[in-house]
Amino acid sequence: MYHVLCLVYPKIAGLRNRVRLRNRSALTKLAIAVVLGLLFWSGIFAVFYRVLVYLKGIEGFGDILAAKLLSMVFLTFFSILIFSNIITALSSFFMSEELQLIISSPLQLQDLYLAKFFETIINSSWMVVLFSLPVFLSYGIAYKQALPYYGVLITTMVPFIIICGAIGICIAIGLTLAFPARRVRDVMVLLFLFVGIGLYCLFRFLQPEKLVDPESFRTVIDYFSALQAPTSPFLPSQWATDTIASFLMPGGNDFLFNFLLLWSTALAVMIIETAVFKKIYFAAWSKSQESTSARLTKNRLFTFIVKRLLSRLAPATRALITKDIYCFFRDSGQWSQLFILSAIIVIYLYNFSVLPMEKSPFPTIYLQNIIAFLNLGLAGFTLAAVAVRFAFPAISIEGESFWIIKSSPMQLRSFIWCKFWMNFTFLLMLAESLILCSNYLLRVDGFMLIVSSITIALMTFGITSLSIGCGAVYPRFDVENKAQIPTGFGGLMYMILAVLFIGVIVVLEAGPVYTVLMSRFRGASLTAVQWIQIIASGAAVVVINALVFYLPMRTGIRRLSAFENF
Amino acid sequence: MIRLIHLSKQYNSLVAVNDVSLEVFSGEIFGFLGPNGAGKTTTIRMIAGLLKPTSGSIVIDQWDLSQHPVEAKRITGFIPDRPFIYGKLTGREFLRFIGGLYSLPPDQTEERIRQFLDLFNLESWGDELVEGFSHGMKQRLVMASALIHRPRVIIVDEPMVGLDPAGAKLVKRIFKGLCRSGVTIFMSTHTLEIAEEMCDRIGIIQEGKLIAVGTMKELRESSGTEGKKLESIFFKLTGEEEMTEVIEALRF
């Protein structure tokens, strides 16, 4: 146990030092993150509490539905925790830099296993646990529970998390034995994306909007079948559900059985895994050190297209873009996000094709145009979400190789603008495709098509500038996994600013658009006052867009030029 | 060729480089020595344009680095102590990228890539991803990248770290050859034998201050260590003579 503590010590000391050495700016960042976290936390609590209070009021079915909801919550946590543990275990057991030192030391493998086991489950579970608290708190309050409930909750969550961790680590080691660790991460990222996108599409294609349409369900039984969540007595998530539910709800008699089942399984998997780990870990570690080969190098068509597309650019710009394209398509952490993007577009457009506008009590033309206008906000938000994954990391993606750019004759201004135009081109194509296709599906008229197309084009300038600018103000050159770049404070700040920007533009345009639509609907011409309002709003939109285009880029260039911590 | 004029760098309360003034002449190999934390890497990173001096200036050829960074960087090649390079590029693609950054014509870039991959014994690795390279191979690739635009000034931080004996020998030969053709080399190193063997002049920095500059002969005279090797001069100047006692105390 002494060696386990030795291995855990650097993590604790590092954390303590990070807390101790926080400066004012770090404290501000922490305060903003805590406030936003609390808001989100409160939101989850409010939603769950309202749902549970509502469910409790349903005579006969309330507790069943509440237990069903709990089972879905645990099943979700179970899936997230296993996946998160696999990804974290790949890093902590195979790719962490300290392993070279640890493995070369005379350390027992079971000590390494235990230390890394706890590191893995803490790193991959803390956030899930944190955001599960409002859910469980809402159950506690809705069912008027006292302190013993929280004791049961903690003693249920501990073995549940241990089991998820053990399963995740076991899968990670097994995969590493079959493939090199770097390739495993590729496989996992893809697997997760396909499963995630598949589930999302499945959920979306079930058309949950039909739940509010009473004609869709003929009987109560149909309704229950629609809500049916997959359950299995062999899943630890079900044991955890049954432990909590039987404690919370009257008539529960499986509490002790499920509670002991969780604990005995948790202890058993740890003991078995320690023994297996000692036998196979070194072989898996050794295999994880293999490297991958270069994709695209010999693909002449790809090389030809890239060369032709960039042939008119300045040599330094061409070199930078070519490098970014090659790095993007060779890093699964980056290109696999294109799948998310494709899913977002498909779902986005699908939503418009199934809108039941003919059932609306409002005239179709009126509704079409209103939805088309609201679509601007939605498209802007989608664009902001895409930009946080692709444009925001554009600076940080240089990683520890940033010294090459900084010591080269390429000016930082040119470097950042090059990143801007590269991402702008891509985002503009996406934005216009979303707007044009959704407007086509909505069959809106020319006026709204022009307003939407121009607004989204202007917003793309602002969103790209915000993402590149924030990325330059908050660079994360030391992040090993590129997909983690947007998850920092800078990414959060960017999303807040982007949403604010989109909201302001939509609000500013709402008045004039409504005025024009109503006047056309009524067949009346616009008054002089209305024209003034429209022009003033239009001018405000242009000014705000210009400021949001200019200021983030200027700040980004200035801050990155002064940045020396790489 | 390189002039440091009252150069200082301060990190909060820590003065890493304190009023350093120095001139390195064209075609000279200048060795920059000092104990750990003396300010060598900070000075080197300022000359390479990676850090902004708190005060003072750096002039490369006739270009003031703060006023004309692009012109100064165009004639400079930088080799850092840790070769962080894009792991997802192949060796050849990385050199092509550097050629682009320095605006070399594509034909010339390809010709020089062939030449340097061959020179640094990397030709068979040219189409492999850099992430699969050993530390020494990455270091050789970085050296090739620093030379590809034919710089007139080379800034090197610990050139021999990670290199095998053949690599180290090759680098020494290349540096001496470049020096003969008029290239100026500013090199920091902890390997005193290399500094003694290769450098025309040596500067010693301690606690951010330049405490001695000169040829080996001048350093011997100023430190009163006639006939001694650079190691003795270094310890005498940096006040670390008691090192021998420590080493004796550590004998088992």
Side-chain angles (χ1 to χ4, degrees):
Chain A
M1 200 61 197
Y2 170 75
H3 286 122
V4 177
L5 291 174
C6 274
L7 289 173
V8 174
Y9 172 74
K11 312 285 169 196
I12 297 168
L15 187 69
R16 193 182 58 205
N17 290 338
R18 271 167 60 192
V19 172
R20 195 163 53 90
L21 301 172
R22 272 183 191 281
N23 54 22
R24 188 184 288 268
S25 129
L27 283 173
T28 314
K29 285 181 187 175
L30 183 69
I32 294 171
V34 167
V35 169
L36 290 172
L38 277 175
L39 283 174
F40 188 58
W41 206 90
S42 313
I44 298 174
F45 176 79
V47 169
F48 266 86
Y49 183 71
R50 274 186 74 96
V51 168
L52 286 172
V53 168
Y54 172 74
L55 291 180
K56 272 198 81 184
I58 305 172
E59 196 70 35
F61 293 109
D63 285 346
I64 299 170
L65 287 172
K68 189 62 77 185
L69 182 65
L70 189 65
S71 139
M72 288 166 77
V73 167
F74 267 111
L75 188 66
T76 310
F77 288 164
F78 185 64
S79 331
I80 295 173
L81 283 173
I82 288 183
F83 182 76
S84 167
N85 273 294
I86 297 173
I87 296 290
T88 314
L90 286 172
S91 289
S92 53
F93 280 91
F94 298 104
M95 291 159 84
S96 167
E97 283 183 9
E98 65 175 358
L99 283 168
Q100 307 274 352
L101 177 73
I102 295 172
I103 289 176
S104 64
S105 70
L107 196 76
Q108 296 282 348
L109 278 178
Q110 66 259 36
D111 291 335
L112 173 69
Y113 170 74
L114 283 176
K116 289 289 170 187
F117 179 85
F118 288 119
E119 182 189 324
T120 305
I121 59 169
I122 289 170
N123 283 340
S124 53
S125 314
W126 71 269
M127 200 175 267
V128 175
V129 170
L130 194 70
F131 286 102
S132 72
L133 285 180
V135 177
F136 295 121
L137 190 66
S138 61
Y139 269 92
I141 295 173
Y143 279 88
K144 298 185 175 57
Q145 291 295 313
L147 217 54
Y149 162 73
Y150 299 98
V152 167
L153 182 66
I154 293 167
T155 46
T156 303
M157 284 303 278
V158 170
F160 177 66
I161 288 169
I162 289 176
I163 294 169
C164 293
I167 294 172
I169 291 165
C170 180
I171 294 172
I173 296 174
L175 284 169
T176 315
L177 271 172
F179 313 96
R182 290 175 206 282
R183 188 56 76 212
V184 171
R185 205 147 76 167
D186 293 4
V187 172
M188 283 310 299
V189 169
L190 274 181
L191 202 67
F192 171 70
L193 281 171
F194 283 129
V195 170
I197 292 165
L199 282 175
Y200 182 52
C201 292
L202 190 69
F203 174 75
R204 190 61 202 89
F205 293 145
L206 284 173
Q207 300 184 16
E209 67 273 10
K210 282 190 176 171
L211 290 170
V212 293
D213 184 357
E215 286 173 19
S216 306
F217 296 99
R218 287 193 196 88
T219 64
V220 176
I221 295 163
D222 282 349
Y223 183 69
F224 272 105
S225 335
L227 284 176
Q228 193 79 40
T231 54
S232 164
F234 299 108
L235 285 180
S237 60
Q238 195 56 42
W239 307 340
T241 307
D242 291 344
T243 308
I244 303 286
S246 55
F247 187 84
L248 278 174
M249 293 153 197
N253 52 7
D254 293 338
F255 169 74
L256 199 62
F257 172 74
N258 284 300
F259 184 75
L260 292 175
L261 191 59
L262 273 174
W263 271 105
S264 54
T265 307
L267 294 175
V269 289
M270 276 192 74
I271 292 166
I272 294 166
E273 206 167 77
T274 311
V276 175
F277 183 84
K278 283 163 69 178
K279 296 253 182 259
I280 63 171
Y281 176 70
F282 190 68
W285 153 261
S286 188
K287 193 145 190 179
S288 74
Q289 303 306 298
E290 297 167 20
S291 71
T292 55
S293 62
R295 274 195 295 261
L296 301 171
T297 310
K298 295 186 175 69
N299 189 330
R300 286 188 185 163
L301 181 65
F302 184 82
T303 316
F304 174 77
I305 294 169
V306 171
K307 267 189 180 169
R308 283 305 294 264
L309 280 176
L310 308 175
S311 60
R312 288 179 186 276
L313 299 174
T317 312
R318 192 168 56 226
L320 188 65
I321 297 176
T322 309
K323 184 268 293 174
D324 277 356
I325 291 173
Y326 276 111
C327 289
F328 179 84
F329 284 106
R330 283 176 188 159
D331 188 346
S332 62
Q334 292 185 60
W335 64 259
S336 54
Q337 297 186 49
L338 287 173
F339 287 104
I340 301 177
L341 181 66
S342 315
I344 289 172
I345 296 169
V346 169
I347 302 297
Y348 186 92
L349 296 175
Y350 175 77
N351 282 330
F352 286 97
S353 68
V354 296
L355 276 177
M357 279 186 296
E358 62 286 352
K359 288 186 181 174
S360 156
F362 303 105
T364 309
I365 293 173
Y366 176 73
L367 197 67
Q368 276 170 338
N369 284 292
I370 291 293
I371 290 174
F373 179 69
L374 294 176
N375 177 34
L376 261 179
L378 197 59
F381 183 76
T382 307
L383 204 61
V386 170
V388 81
R389 306 287 337 167
F390 292 95
F392 176 80
I395 305 290
S396 303
I397 223 142
E398 296 297 321
E400 290 178 300
S401 310
F402 183 62
W403 67 268
I404 296 168
I405 303 294
K406 195 100 193 255
S407 64
S408 81
M410 187 180 209
Q411 286 182 299
L412 267 183
R413 177 182 297 276
S414 316
F415 164 74
I416 297 177
W417 276 110
C418 178
K419 296 278 184 180
F420 173 89
W421 289 113
M422 202 167 25
N423 284 282
F424 174 78
T425 312
F426 159 72
L427 289 173
L428 185 68
M429 287 195 294
L430 173 69
E432 290 296 351
S433 310
L434 286 180
I435 286 295
L436 293 176
C437 292
S438 52
N439 281 355
Y440 170 76
L441 290 169
L442 286 167
R443 294 187 183 84
V444 297
D445 60 13
F447 165 73
M448 191 47 80
L449 191 66
I450 292 168
V451 169
S452 308
S453 301
I454 294 175
T455 308
I456 201 74
L458 288 175
M459 281 206 291
T460 310
F461 275 102
I463 287 171
T464 315
S465 171
L466 269 174
S467 55
I468 299 288
C470 288
V473 172
Y474 301 105
R476 298 180 73 190
F477 294 121
D478 55 345
V479 174
E480 192 192 338
N481 182 1
K482 304 281 189 276
Q484 284 178 349
I485 294 170
T487 59
F489 181 77
L492 184 69
M493 285 308 289
Y494 155 72
M495 275 312 282
I496 292 171
L497 291 172
V499 170
L500 206 65
F501 165 62
I502 296 160
V504 168
I505 297 296
V506 170
V507 167
L508 275 174
E509 285 194 358
V513 168
Y514 179 77
T515 309
V516 173
L517 283 179
M518 287 313 285
S519 73
R520 293 174 71 194
F521 184 57
R522 289 176 184 140
S525 56
L526 292 168
T527 64
V529 176
Q530 284 175 325
W531 271 114
I532 292 168
Q533 282 175 342
I534 290 170
I535 292 167
S537 294
V541 165
V542 171
V543 169
I544 288 172
N545 269 299
L547 286 174
V548 175
F549 169 56
Y550 173 69
L551 290 177
M553 286 300 285
R554 196 186 71 158
T555 315
I557 290 167
R558 214 179 51 225
R559 292 286 285 273
L560 194 64
S561 303
F563 187 79
E564 295 184 338
N565 191 19
F566 60 93
Chain B
M1 195 67 182
I2 304 173
R3 269 191 301 144
L4 312 184
I5 306 159
H6 299 296
L7 191 68
S8 294
K9 179 70 185 176
Q10 196 166 342
Y11 298 105
N12 298 320
S13 58
L14 175 79
V15 182
V17 177
N18 191 357
D19 196 27
V20 169
S21 291
L22 175 69
E23 186 159 12
V24 182
F25 306 108
S26 187
E28 184 178 44
I29 301 184
F30 186 87
F32 199 50
L33 314 182
N36 289 331
K40 297 187 300 295
T41 298
T42 303
T43 309
I44 288 232
R45 284 167 75 84
M46 282 193 282
I47 304 172
L50 298 176
L51 297 179
K52 193 173 189 288
T54 310
S55 62
S57 58
I58 299 161
V59 179
I60 296 177
D61 204 353
Q62 78 271 35
W63 306 108
D64 185 316
L65 193 57
S66 62
Q67 305 294 319
H68 304 280
V70 174
E71 290 78 3
K73 286 174 180 179
R74 193 160 279 147
I75 55 167
T76 308
F78 173 54
I79 303 165
D81 56 341
R82 286 177 297 169
F84 288 123
I85 37 182
Y86 305 100
K88 295 290 180 195
L89 292 185
T90 65
R92 200 180 298 278
E93 287 164 357
F94 175 67
L95 293 177
R96 206 171 281 148
F97 166 65
I98 297 292
L101 284 185
Y102 284 84
S103 303
L104 293 183
D107 292 349
Q108 205 174 54
T109 308
E110 293 304 320
E111 176 54 37
R112 289 189 191 170
I113 288 172
R114 266 194 298 278
Q115 188 189 339
F116 282 109
L117 285 179
D118 185 44
L119 179 65
F120 284 99
N121 292 325
L122 290 170
E123 64 274 54
S124 56
W125 287 83
D127 292 320
E128 298 297 324
L129 289 187
V130 169
E131 66 185 15
F133 282 25
S134 69
H135 182 88
M137 284 158 66
K138 283 183 190 167
Q139 189 70 0
R140 277 187 274 166
L141 186 63
V142 169
M143 287 192 182
S145 76
L147 300 178
I148 201 161
H149 60 289
R150 301 258 161 97
R152 288 159 61 196
V153 173
I154 297 173
I155 314 294
V156 204
D157 196 1
E158 292 293 347
M160 306 306 172
V161 172
L163 292 178
D164 58 15
K169 191 177 171 188
L170 175 71
V171 170
K172 280 189 225 171
R173 280 178 55 196
I174 291 171
F175 281 3
K176 282 184 177 169
L178 288 167
C179 181
R180 276 195 295 275
S181 62
V183 174
T184 307
I185 298 173
F186 188 100
M187 174 173 89
S188 97
T189 182
H190 281 299
T191 320
L192 300 177
E193 293 80 7
I194 287 171
E196 189 166 359
E197 181 191 338
M198 291 179 67
C199 299
D200 300 306
R201 282 194 311 142
I202 286 165
I204 298 175
I205 186 170
Q206 189 178 28
E207 292 174 3
K209 281 184 173 282
L210 195 63
I211 55 168
V213 187
T215 60
M216 278 297 292
K217 188 167 175 282
E218 287 164 349
L219 289 179
R220 278 191 193 107
E221 281 168 11
S222 65
S223 61
T225 48
E226 296 298 321
K228 291 280 177 74
K229 293 191 81 79
L230 180 60
E231 189 177 53
S232 307
I233 302 169
F234 179 81
F235 287 140
K236 173 93 191 220
L237 288 168
T238 55
E240 293 185 22
E241 284 168 306
E242 63 273 20
M243 192 75 80
T244 16
E245 289 166 29
V246 177
I247 293 165
E248 280 303 316
L250 284 173
R251 278 190 203 284
F252 297 104

